[in-house]
Amino acid sequence: KSNRFTDDFKRTLVTLHKEGKTLRELQDAYGVSSSALCRWVHQFSELKWMTKLLCPPNRSNVLAKT
C-alpha cells in the first residue's frame, strides 16, 4: 500500500486546520477524506486527548459537514 500524501502535506493541512480552516473546507480544497484528516490531526497533534473529542471514531463524517 503506497502513501498518497507526504508527511509534509499532512502537516500543512493540520496546520491549516489549527489556524481555523474547517475539515469540510480542507476536504473540498485538497480532495482528502474527513477520516484521513481526523487521523492526521490526531497523529500530528500535541493534545491527542483533545483530538479524540473532535474526531471520535465513527463520527468523522459528521464533523466534515460542519
Side-chain angles (χ1 to χ4, degrees), residues 5-41:
F5 302 107
T6 65
D7 281 352
D8 285 340
F9 177 79
K10 295 173 187 178
R11 283 188 177 95
T12 298
L13 267 57
V14 169
T15 299
L16 289 170
H17 180 62
K18 287 180 181 179
E19 292 174 349
K21 293 285 186 187
T22 66
L23 294 176
R24 180 54 140 188
E25 289 172 325
L26 295 171
Q27 185 179 3
D28 291 345
Y30 296 96
V32 297
S33 69
S34 60
S35 60
L37 287 167
C38 282
R39 189 170 53 251
W40 300 343
V41 167

Side-chain angles (χ1 to χ4, degrees), residues 35 55-62:
S35 60
C55 298
N58 303 322
R59 301 258 332 202
S60 60
N61 289 333
V62 173

Side-chain angles (χ1 to χ4, degrees), residues 39-65:
R39 189 170 53 251
W40 300 343
V41 167
H42 179 74
Q43 179 182 357
F44 296 110
S45 175
E46 293 145 8
L47 301 173
K48 293 188 185 240
W49 63 270
M50 186 179 285
T51 62
K52 288 182 182 178
L53 296 174
L54 297 174
C55 298
N58 303 322
R59 301 258 332 202
S60 60
N61 289 333
V62 173
L63 283 177
K65 295 175 185 174

